[in-house]
Amino acid sequence: MSAKTAKLVIGSKEIELPIHSPTVGPDVIDIGQLYAKGDVFTYDPGFTSTAACDSTITFIDGEKGVLLHRGYPIEQLSSKSHFLEVCYLLLYGGLPNAVELDDFETRVTRHTMLHEQMLNFFRGFRRDAHPMAVMTGVVGAMSAFYHDSIDVNDPWQREVASIRLIAKMPTIAAMAFKYNTGQPFVYPRNDLDYASNFLRMCFAVPAEDYQVNPILSRAMDRIFTLHADHEQNASTSTVRLASSSGANPFACIAAGIACLWGPAHGGANQACLEMLEEIGTVDKIPEFIARAKDKNDPFRLMGFGHRVYKNFDPRAIVLKESADEVLELLGVESNSILQVAKKLEETALADDYFIEKKLFPNVDFYSGIILEAMGFPTSMFTPIFAVSRTIGWVSQWKEMVTDPKMKIGRPRQLYVGETKRDYVNIEDR
Ligand code: SDX
């Protein structure tokens, strides 16, 4: 069968462009030669119709609410797997057998401690520094401490950097939290699983023993699993673009953390809970719905809408179930925030504006409710998202730096500025 092509007519020119087909999803038109052949650029601010790379890691079908990690549906992974196994799947491409999983978990466990001198970085921040500012700084500084794993062309160094990042992010996030609270840092323990270790580093104090609640560690692990990777979202695209210059992995992941912090992206979970708290009671919901619909009001419903999902976010469905389960098991009586959230969702989903614009709860809508019930302040919501998304960033970074087709990312522009003009001396202005 002859290769598929697209014909583009520009003035008197007819340009033929190759079409590539995926294993699943839409075809893509390869425009790599468009400028050379047609002397034109494409124009797509926000990349609403642009594929920036090919990838084998995660597939999303926005219309059907499908999310696959290496082909496995997120619903099955969140109920049958656990976060470190999902990390292995994303990083290496397949589910591990028992020996492979045990080896991977042991390697991650043995890298959870930070270089002791790195603790000085935390002390350089104000006590009220946002934990995302601390994480951006400390992760970027890792390239100054782990010189033996910054050469992206060395497979062994890539592997060590990957394990270090997966292992140390919970420690860094927990230390940022402890620094905010004025409590002493709690070091990781090798006899705890990933989620339990993180909870203990966040909530244990030297004055008494801390027993991890298995219900909380299971909920924590599920939140990590649901946020692990999401195709070419803004922060992952940031990591890929930074990686394309050959920058070291720690610098690239620090760039991803900075991008995730934005309220339109990973910062939405914090913004969403603050919005629910501002709404306060269900009788205030109509007022906020009206504001979200008002073109003259910049207010948007945080936790609603998505660039890709146009019917539902499968992660939000799982998190909504978890929210009920965790709050009930924690004995959090009729959590008013949860009641507001459920009524807000019900109201918005019945409103023509949200139906027409295909806006519904995304992954950030329910995660904050669970995290708050678990005892985290809103400032820790996005750091927890960053801990989880590190495996997605690292897996996509590794896929890119090992791709023979990789070249530095360098978009062009539609220039609408001044044409050439001569300098005017100040006395003549
Ligand atoms: C994440 O990409 C990913 O995969 C991200 C993520 C991941 O796992 O990495 O899934 C994580 O970032 C989830 C999204 C979290 N952000 C929020 O919850 C913030 C609130 N949502 C919006 O900012 C918005 O919906 C976005 C940013 C999520 C998506 O924006 P788009 O795709 O660029 O859509 P848009 O801004 O062009 O909006 C389309 C229309 C607009 O109206 P019109 O100009 O067409 O009249 O819908 C309106 C918007 O005003 N709209 C909203 C709205 N979101 C969009 N109106 C009210 N409330 C909202 N939340």
Side-chain angles (χ1 to χ4, degrees):
M1 186 172 79
S2 63
K4 288 196 278 188
T5 61
K7 286 190 174 57
L8 189 58
V9 178
I10 305 174
S12 58
K13 280 186 197 170
E14 182 177 288
I15 298 160
E16 200 157 6
L17 298 166
I19 288 179
H20 305 313
S21 295
T23 43
V24 60
D27 283 353
V28 299
I29 299 174
D30 183 336
I31 56 166
Q33 290 302 306
L34 177 60
Y35 183 49
K37 289 182 176 175
D39 198 28
V40 293
F41 295 143
T42 57
Y43 182 65
D44 183 16
F47 311 115
T48 52
S49 306
T50 295
C53 61
D54 45 60
S55 181
T56 61
I57 299 173
T58 292
F59 173 73
I60 299 172
D61 182 322
E63 292 304 322
K64 299 187 183 112
V66 169
L67 169 54
L68 307 178
H69 289 320
R70 302 285 190 180
Y72 297 99
I74 190 64
E75 296 85 352
Q76 294 183 29
L77 293 172
S78 62
S79 59
K80 297 178 179 180
S81 184
H82 64 275
F83 181 60
L84 277 192
E85 183 176 77
V86 171
C87 287
Y88 185 101
L89 173 66
L90 289 168
L91 194 59
Y92 301 117
L95 289 172
N97 61 35
V99 170
E100 291 163 335
L101 180 59
D102 181 59
D103 167 64
F104 180 71
E105 292 187 335
T106 302
R107 283 187 292 135
V108 171
T109 299
R110 295 212 171 278
H111 279 281
T112 49
M113 285 178 67
L114 277 188
H115 187 296
E116 191 65 9
Q117 260 187 275
M118 292 200 76
L119 275 52
N120 297 328
F121 273 101
F122 294 85
R123 297 186 179 100
F125 287 92
R126 284 173 40 142
R127 280 284 180 189
D128 60 354
H130 194 291
M132 285 300 278
V134 177
M135 289 182 80
T136 305
V138 173
V139 172
M142 286 174 78
S143 44
F145 282 83
Y146 299 106
H147 295 117
D148 61 343
S149 60
I150 58 175
D151 177 356
V152 300
N153 300 308
D154 176 339
W156 182 85
Q157 294 194 40
R158 288 199 298 267
E159 180 66 15
V160 172
S162 302
I163 297 296
R164 278 177 167 151
L165 281 159
I166 297 163
K168 295 179 194 308
M169 284 293 269
T171 310
I172 293 167
M175 287 184 168
F177 179 34
K178 283 302 195 187
Y179 187 69
N180 270 168
T181 62
Q183 292 179 354
F185 296 141
V186 175
Y187 285 70
R189 289 179 53 120
N190 291 349
D191 60 344
L192 292 176
D193 64 68
Y194 194 87
S196 301
N197 224 344
F198 177 65
L199 289 172
R200 182 177 171 279
M201 289 190 284
C202 288
F203 296 116
V205 288
E208 60 187 22
D209 288 342
Y210 178 83
Q211 292 303 317
V212 179
N213 178 329
I215 294 132
L216 294 189
S217 62
R218 178 69 194 135
M220 190 77 258
D221 189 272
R222 179 177 283 184
I223 284 179
F224 284 148
T225 296
L226 289 167
H227 290 75
D229 188 50
H230 213 239
E231 199 212 70
Q232 305 311 318
N233 59 85
S235 54
T236 298
S237 299
T238 301
V239 170
R240 278 182 172 261
L241 195 55
S243 309
S244 73
S245 74
N248 74 73
F250 305 113
C252 295
I253 300 304
I257 296 171
C259 177
L260 185 75
W261 194 1
H265 188 16
N269 52 20
Q270 173 174 348
C272 178
L273 202 92
E274 288 164 355
M275 174 192 73
L276 293 172
E277 286 168 344
E278 187 186 356
I279 295 173
T281 52
V282 294
D283 61 315
K284 298 283 279 308
I285 287 174
E287 174 196 327
F288 283 82
I289 293 274
R291 283 188 57 198
K293 292 158 64 174
D294 178 356
K295 281 285 154 246
N296 301 315
D297 188 332
F299 173 78
R300 287 192 168 179
L301 281 188
M302 292 290 109
F304 269 76
H306 199 277
R307 172 60 64 78
V308 177
Y309 291 124
K310 295 307 173 192
N311 281 308
F312 61 92
D313 182 338
R315 303 166 297 175
I317 307 286
V318 176
L319 279 169
K320 182 175 179 178
E321 291 159 16
S322 288
D324 282 326
E325 180 189 314
V326 170
L327 293 177
E328 184 190 340
L329 291 165
L330 282 175
V332 182
E333 301 311 319
S334 67
N335 176 298
S336 62
I337 292 290
L338 181 62
Q339 304 319 320
V340 169
K342 288 186 171 180
K343 186 65 181 168
L344 178 63
E345 177 185 20
E346 181 192 312
T347 310
L349 294 185
D351 184 293
D352 290 343
Y353 174 91
F354 293 89
I355 294 168
E356 177 214 319
K357 294 188 185 296
K358 300 186 175 184
L359 305 172
F360 48 83
N362 57 44
V363 67
D364 292 300
F365 188 69
Y366 281 103
S367 57
I369 292 163
I370 299 171
L371 293 172
E372 193 211 35
M374 293 169 74
F376 289 104
T378 54
S379 60
M380 276 302 289
F381 291 3
T382 311
I384 287 167
F385 194 151
V387 168
S388 167
R389 187 51 58 87
T390 295
I391 182 57
W393 293 328
V394 165
S395 303
Q396 301 266 356
W397 160 79
K398 178 183 167 186
E399 181 176 72
M400 176 168 197
V401 296
T402 55
D403 181 346
K405 300 193 302 298
M406 186 188 101
K407 57 190 346 182
I408 191 164
R410 200 323 186 166
R412 302 304 304 272
Q413 63 179 6
L414 171 66
Y415 178 69
V416 292
E418 295 286 346
T419 54
K420 183 175 174 294
R421 54 181 174 166
D422 294 326
Y423 182 80
V424 179
N425 295 326
I426 192 159
E427 60 271 16
D428 300 326
R429 289 174 208 163

